[in-house]
Amino acid sequence: METAEIRRRFLDHFERNGHTVVPSASLISPDPSVLFTIAGMVPFIPYLTGQQAAPYPRATSVQKCIRTSDIEEVGKTTRHGTFFQMNGNFSFGDYFKEGAVELAWELVTGSQDDGGYGFDPDRLWISVFHTDDEAFEVWKKVAGVPEERIQRMGLHDEENYWSTGQPGPAGPSSEIFYDRGPEYGPDGGPAVDKGGDRFLEIWNLVFMQYERGVSTGPGKNDFEILGDLPAKNIDTGMGMERVSYLLQGVDNMYEIDQVFPVIKQASELSGKRYGANHEDDVRMRVVGDHIRSSLMLIGDGVTPSNEGRGYVLRRLLRRSVRAMRLLGVDDRTLPELLPVSRDAMKSAYPELETDFTRISSVAYAEEDAFRKTLRTGTQIFDLAADETKQAGRPTLAGDTAFKLHDTYGFPIDITLEMAAEKGLSVDADEFRRLMTEQRERAKADAKSKKVGHADMSAYRELRDAGVTPFTGYEELSTDTRVRGLVRDGVAVLVAQEGDTVELVLDRTPFYAESGGQDSDAGIITADGSELEVLDVQRPIKGLIVHRVRVRSGELVSGQDVLAQVDPEWRIGACQAHSGTHVVHAALREVLGPQALQSGSYNKPGYLRLDFAWGQALGPETRSEVEEAANLGIRRNLPVSATYMPLERAKEIGALALFGETYDEDVRVVEMGGEWSRELCGGTHVARSSQIGLVTLTGESSVGAGSRRVEAFVGIEGFRYLAKERTLVSQLADTLNVQPEQLPERISRLVAQVREAEKKLAQLQRAALGTKAAELTGSAKDVLGVRFVAYEAPAGSSTEDLRNLVLDVRGKLGEQQPATVAVTAVGDNGRPTVVIATNQEARNRGLKAGELVKTAAQTLGGGGGGKDDVAQGGGSDPSKVTEALGRVEHLVGETITRGS
């Protein structure tokens, strides 16, 4: 039975039994604290936990999921994968244990001819929580499972008790296991088979029935039960891939129909037969899993980067490429593998075929970038690994691993793999420390701006009073009331003058930052008090929170207030957001429909837009896009916003932002009908001409297969052009030419400067050439070693320094006495040092590579090379004289030790 058919039967079964079929949410988690959707229940958390009323009593879905915590085990076991699909059915206060068991058993054991899976009931085992007598009896009564095949599990077996780890809903669970037979492990049921190789769990039924209190011990399941929940819920999860490999008669999830075609292709490309060699098999399974995961992630709008989700995608793609290289394939492989994965997955996810041009361009660009990285980074790694082994150390330094990651884009797991191949470990603790320092620096500004606390209980209590209606589409000023105040995550009753607090209103005209649009600015006033609105966010779905500073007076919870958006700010925000839609439409008009938006940010006067494209836009193309955007503005197109079901919006071609989570009813913003039609909750102008002007100011790469354009909008666009006009006028006056003559005049001046620099370099080289003879006559004696040190003039190149030390060494000779020649230059903030030694010096233990490290470290950098000549550099040019002195001192120390 194909995986797509298993999926269809699951959804059909529950739809026939009164469940609403809910499409899979994006792999990008709606919870900003989690990178990916990791379980089928994630989109339903607000309903399961009671934060929101469920829009239906029963639901079912097949949810796309990504988990990377066990990425090192991928390919090694039968069941560890990064991408997987979780089939689920959910009851929100409707049926409970008996209904869940009955529905699950009917599907699992039902005849394949009647739409079931046809599992043999005699090979199915059940686990229940050790005190859950009700579930035990339900399995006996409803499913007819013999008592000996129903096993009770204890509290600390997390497989049979569910909770969030925080106060809230909790409850026991019950799992269905399939017995694969004695050849896979010991008899005695899942309680005996701890590895899960014989008794394979295929479905977990969670019975949410209790309200849990605070922790009473160190474990996740150490807590006090406060009582029964007012509404009991069902949350189940069936592992699609596990069911697939059981029904398809294969040994593991990598050999199912949605994965194995990629393994087969990898086998053909490498000439390695799958099943012949364990290490090769693991590599092929890694490729099969990671290619599929990458396909699905890019399909949901993730692009490679060095942070967050993008970093996970980059790891997956690069691990795939490296696995193919270890299988002996040095050529590009993704163009051979990715289409195979698409064809295996498209029956379940047809959008992969529709969007494959964009998906493939992102993946192929990343492979090309990584192939270049491998060439450069491998040389750096090999040098560091060889030095580590020569020094007799078993561990590669953590800062080397960090440099490989930060500078050359090596995921740490690839560095670990390469180190292991050379018999080395890696100082992973030091690597993680450096990574943490970097992330903390990067996040500091963002953290200071956003609303967010580990404890969200204060916000949840405010959300329990209802959603915050947004009135800003219709008005900029709203009479409202203070629902609550929060300071540092704790509810407070009063805010005094000078305080900065978070404020929730009963309704608000202030737009909360979302969909790429920055939040509104303005003021909130009450009797004798005025508050400046600094930021507006949605920490919980449906709740709008204002961060405010009390300028004067005092604010009390429950007080009536007037919320007023700054009208100039809102006009600019509308222009910028509508301008973003215009630029997106212009990009698609000029480049084609594959130039889809993947992200955006806009605020009054400014916009940036990320889109799928694999190469830089030339000046002519940029001008064409800019003209298309402004022509759209000039056409004075009507702008409208309409609410409609999500499926209807997709039918009419409304574009959705990749990775964004949408409700069942969505807001569609149109400009001129089909010219621009997007799902959007932002604020907009009434007609395109009100945008005024769009001026593109930059275009750059933001990752493989992804570009970014930036623009000024409206009055800011005019000011930008006026500033450029002034600059052109000043240059024309300075050079005494007409503005249209500037390009030719500046080109001529640049050519003259380059010629002058060339002549100057020639003169410097000639001067250095004559300097060699002078230096040989002034060599210093350091314990019998002729030592020559010279601080070259600024502007000397590394090649000049190298030629000089070799010339000095040549004039002094390779034989006795020993000679060390050192040159250094401190230029443009990047000092350089070059050292050469003759044969006799090397015989006495003076090696250029070791000497240059001391000099480079003094300069705040590093270096290396061969024993006869080496070079290095640093960041502190003021230390050049000190570096030369350190080398002289080390020469003396080395000779002393040798004698």
Side-chain angles (χ1 to χ4, degrees):
M1 188 182 295
E2 291 185 350
T3 304
E5 175 64 13
I6 296 171
R7 178 182 189 272
R8 186 191 66 78
R9 290 184 181 219
F10 187 90
L11 295 176
D12 285 353
H13 170 71
F14 284 100
E15 188 173 27
R16 285 195 305 271
N17 284 280
H19 293 66
T20 298
V21 176
V22 179
S24 173
S26 170
L27 283 168
I28 299 175
S29 171
D31 180 351
S33 66
V34 181
L35 292 180
F36 300 112
T37 301
I38 59 172
M41 54 86 73
V42 169
F44 302 100
I45 287 176
Y47 313 143
L48 293 168
T49 58
Q51 292 179 13
Q52 297 181 39
Y56 25 64
R58 304 178 176 195
T60 185
S61 69
V62 174
Q63 176 61 48
K64 301 177 290 187
C65 302
I66 286 278
R67 291 180 188 171
T68 57
S69 57
D70 294 325
I71 193 171
E72 303 299 335
E73 299 303 312
V74 171
K76 300 175 184 178
T77 72
T78 61
R79 59 193 180 279
H80 281 98
T82 48
F83 172 82
F84 62 97
Q85 299 155 93
M86 189 170 286
N87 304 347
N89 61 288
F90 307 88
S91 166
F92 310 108
D94 190 17
Y95 61 82
F96 199 48
K97 293 181 184 179
E98 187 168 324
V101 168
E102 182 177 6
L103 288 167
W105 194 254
E106 180 183 336
L107 178 60
V108 170
T109 63
S111 165
Q112 292 190 1
D113 292 337
D114 295 329
Y117 292 147
F119 282 103
D120 180 357
D122 292 336
R123 300 186 71 168
L124 296 176
W125 288 63
I126 307 299
S127 68
V128 298
F129 188 55
H130 72 114
T131 61
D132 194 354
D133 295 332
E134 180 185 0
F136 192 94
E137 292 302 321
V138 166
W139 280 110
K140 286 170 55 182
K141 181 183 76 170
V142 173
V145 180
E147 288 190 13
E148 61 270 19
R149 292 214 310 275
I150 307 175
Q151 296 192 329
R152 297 176 183 265
M153 299 291 192
L155 177 65
H156 294 287
D157 188 333
E158 292 190 3
E159 297 299 315
N160 281 90
Y161 207 93
W162 180 90
S163 76
T164 63
Q166 301 291 330
S173 68
S174 180
E175 295 174 324
I176 303 174
F177 292 83
Y178 180 79
D179 182 0
R180 301 173 71 196
E183 63 270 29
Y184 290 98
D187 200 355
V192 173
D193 182 28
K194 295 297 185 183
D197 290 326
R198 173 172 176 175
F199 295 91
L200 186 71
E201 177 214 332
I202 60 173
W203 206 338
N204 186 22
L205 316 179
V206 177
F207 311 129
M208 292 188 196
Q209 63 186 106
Y210 298 122
E211 178 78 18
R212 64 155 286 178
V214 297
S215 296
T216 58
K220 175 184 174 182
N221 291 326
D222 294 322
F223 53 81
E224 178 187 5
I225 294 293
L226 302 179
D228 290 341
L229 290 170
K232 298 177 180 180
N233 300 324
I234 290 293
D235 157 28
T236 86
M238 168 193 278
M240 174 92 83
E241 282 71 17
R242 295 188 179 190
V243 173
S244 294
Y245 80 73
L246 291 175
L247 290 181
Q248 292 173 17
V250 295
D251 281 340
N252 55 65
M253 64 167 290
Y254 312 105
E255 297 175 12
I256 67 172
D257 60 319
Q258 288 187 343
V259 181
F260 190 71
V262 176
I263 293 177
K264 182 179 178 183
Q265 183 70 3
S267 173
E268 292 177 1
L269 290 173
S270 64
K272 304 287 181 71
R273 184 174 64 84
Y274 182 71
N277 177 276
H278 175 69
E279 286 189 1
D280 289 342
D281 288 353
V282 169
R283 288 165 182 156
M284 282 187 258
R285 289 196 286 262
V286 165
V287 170
D289 172 85
H290 286 10
I291 291 293
R292 183 171 75 142
S293 299
S294 300
L295 172 77
M296 302 306 294
L297 282 171
I298 301 172
D300 274 5
V302 181
T303 55
S305 70
N306 281 335
E307 287 292 332
R309 302 179 185 95
Y311 177 61
V312 172
L313 173 59
R314 174 159 284 170
R315 284 184 70 191
L316 293 169
L317 286 169
R318 294 189 169 192
R319 278 171 60 93
S320 302
V321 173
R322 175 156 165 78
M324 290 302 296
R325 287 173 68 90
L326 293 173
L327 288 167
V329 183
D330 291 329
D331 296 332
R332 296 175 81 216
T333 55
L334 293 188
E336 301 290 338
L337 299 171
L338 201 67
V340 176
S341 187
R342 171 204 61 198
D343 292 343
M345 296 297 295
K346 67 184 182 182
S347 58
Y349 303 98
E351 63 271 17
L352 295 173
E353 184 168 37
T354 305
D355 206 22
F356 191 68
T357 299
R358 178 190 64 84
I359 295 170
S360 59
S361 66
V362 171
Y364 300 164
E366 178 65 17
E367 178 176 24
D368 291 340
F370 185 48
R371 284 167 58 81
K372 294 177 183 176
T373 289
L374 274 176
R375 286 193 293 270
T376 306
T378 299
Q379 294 174 357
I380 303 296
F381 171 83
D382 287 342
L383 178 63
D386 289 345
E387 289 179 351
T388 301
K389 295 181 76 171
Q390 288 172 8
R393 297 191 300 271
T395 304
L396 191 71
D399 58 354
T400 301
F402 177 75
K403 180 181 178 182
L404 284 166
H405 162 78
D406 195 48
T407 306
Y408 300 101
F410 263 49
I412 182 61
D413 56 315
I414 288 182
T415 302
L416 290 168
E417 289 174 7
M418 294 172 66
E421 290 165 9
K422 288 185 173 285
L424 296 171
S425 60
V426 176
D427 188 346
D429 290 340
E430 175 68 3
F431 171 82
R432 283 190 289 268
R433 184 186 68 78
L434 293 169
M435 285 293 296
T436 299
E437 286 181 359
Q438 185 192 61
R439 290 193 183 105
E440 290 304 316
R441 287 193 299 268
K443 290 178 180 177
D445 291 340
K447 282 186 176 179
S448 67
K449 179 175 183 284
K450 301 299 175 191
V451 174
H453 300 276
D455 182 4
M456 304 292 284
S457 57
Y459 301 119
R460 291 196 179 97
E461 289 178 9
L462 292 168
R463 174 62 180 79
D464 287 343
V467 301
T468 311
F470 173 62
T471 63
Y473 293 138
E474 297 82 27
E475 60 187 23
L476 297 182
S477 180
T478 298
D479 288 311
T480 182
R481 176 173 294 182
V482 178
R483 182 184 297 178
L485 299 169
V486 177
R487 181 188 289 118
D488 298 327
V490 178
V492 296
L493 295 177
V494 181
Q496 306 285 349
E497 184 173 328
D499 287 350
T500 297
V501 296
E502 291 153 15
L503 166 68
V504 175
L505 301 173
D506 279 346
R507 58 196 192 114
T508 181
F510 285 92
Y511 184 83
E513 180 180 353
S514 62
Q517 181 176 334
D518 205 350
S519 59
D520 277 333
I523 60 171
I524 298 173
T525 58
D527 292 338
S529 61
E530 179 178 293
L531 294 77
E532 177 187 3
V533 177
L534 306 174
D535 189 24
V536 190
Q537 297 290 328
R538 283 190 176 94
I540 294 177
K541 186 176 181 180
L543 185 72
I544 296 177
V545 176
H546 313 71
R547 187 161 65 92
V548 300
R549 179 170 55 242
V550 183
R551 287 177 174 173
S552 61
E554 132 181 316
L555 190 70
V556 180
S557 183
Q559 188 173 4
D560 291 330
V561 296
L562 177 64
Q564 303 172 79
V565 176
D566 182 338
E568 288 299 317
W569 179 280
R570 174 62 73 80
I571 289 171
C574 291
Q575 289 176 320
H577 202 152
S578 297
T580 305
H581 286 223
V582 165
V583 172
H584 188 201
L587 284 165
R588 288 166 53 78
E589 182 178 304
V590 173
L591 302 178
Q594 66 270 32
L596 280 170
Q597 177 181 337
S598 56
S600 68
Y601 171 73
N602 56 80
K603 63 180 181 178
Y606 169 83
L607 71 86
R608 70 168 186 250
L609 186 146
D610 299 343
F611 62 101
W613 198 250
Q615 58 193 37
L617 305 185
E620 291 184 4
T621 304
R622 281 178 53 183
S623 294
E624 195 175 349
V625 170
E626 187 176 60
E627 182 172 349
N630 283 291
L631 285 174
I633 292 171
R634 182 183 177 188
R635 285 162 57 195
N636 196 29
L637 300 171
V639 180
S640 64
T642 309
Y643 287 91
M644 64 183 69
L646 179 59
E647 290 305 311
R648 173 60 183 157
K650 291 180 179 178
E651 288 174 7
I652 65 173
L655 300 176
L657 182 65
F658 288 117
E660 196 74 21
T661 301
Y662 296 98
D663 294 331
E664 291 186 11
D665 286 326
V666 294
R667 184 170 181 258
V668 178
V669 174
E670 294 182 317
M671 288 187 182
E674 294 183 0
W675 189 70
S676 173
R677 182 178 285 156
E678 301 189 26
L679 305 188
C680 180
T683 62
H684 290 275
V685 297
R687 302 191 73 90
S688 64
S689 61
Q690 294 171 351
I691 297 170
L693 176 70
V694 167
T695 302
L696 295 187
T697 60
E699 189 269 345
S700 59
S701 170
V702 286
S706 186
R707 307 294 299 181
R708 170 175 292 174
V709 290
E710 297 180 86
F712 287 125
V713 186
I715 190 64
E716 291 301 325
F718 168 77
R719 288 170 179 160
Y720 176 81
L721 292 177
K723 189 176 179 182
E724 283 204 331
R725 181 180 62 193
T726 301
L727 179 61
V728 168
S729 178
Q730 290 173 343
L731 283 171
D733 289 345
T734 301
L735 298 177
N736 196 27
V737 296
Q738 294 298 313
E740 62 270 17
Q741 296 172 324
L742 275 174
E744 180 184 353
R745 178 67 171 140
I746 292 174
S747 295
R748 211 163 54 237
L749 286 173
V750 169
Q752 291 171 359
V753 169
R754 285 176 178 167
E755 184 62 28
E757 289 175 342
K758 185 178 178 181
K759 289 180 179 178
L760 179 61
Q762 290 172 345
L763 291 172
Q764 286 179 333
R765 280 195 293 274
L768 287 173
T770 61
K771 192 71 179 177
E774 177 186 334
L775 290 174
T776 56
S778 62
K780 181 185 293 187
D781 182 272
V782 180
L783 299 178
V785 176
R786 292 178 298 184
F787 182 77
V788 177
Y790 176 61
E791 188 172 340
S796 303
S797 68
T798 301
E799 183 182 0
D800 293 337
L801 300 184
R802 191 179 184 90
N803 289 337
L804 180 59
V805 296
L806 293 176
D807 197 6
V808 169
R809 186 182 68 181
K811 290 181 182 300
L812 292 173
E814 281 291 333
Q815 304 307 316
Q816 294 184 355
T819 300
V820 176
V822 188
T823 62
V825 60
D827 190 23
N828 298 324
R830 299 293 300 175
T832 303
V833 60
V834 182
I835 299 178
T837 59
N838 71 354
Q839 184 61 56
E840 180 58 24
R842 296 193 292 277
N843 291 343
R844 300 185 65 180
L846 297 170
K847 298 177 181 179
E850 295 178 359
L851 295 173
V852 86
K853 285 181 182 177
T854 295
Q857 287 170 359
T858 306
L859 297 172
K866 298 180 180 179
D867 292 346
D868 63 330
V869 62
Q871 69 186 52
S875 57
D876 189 351
S878 67
K879 297 288 185 67
V880 168
T881 302
E882 181 182 343
L884 295 176
R886 289 278 183 91
V887 175
E888 180 179 346
H889 182 72
L890 181 57
V891 168
E893 277 190 345
T894 304
I895 296 300
T896 301
R897 286 197 305 268
S899 61

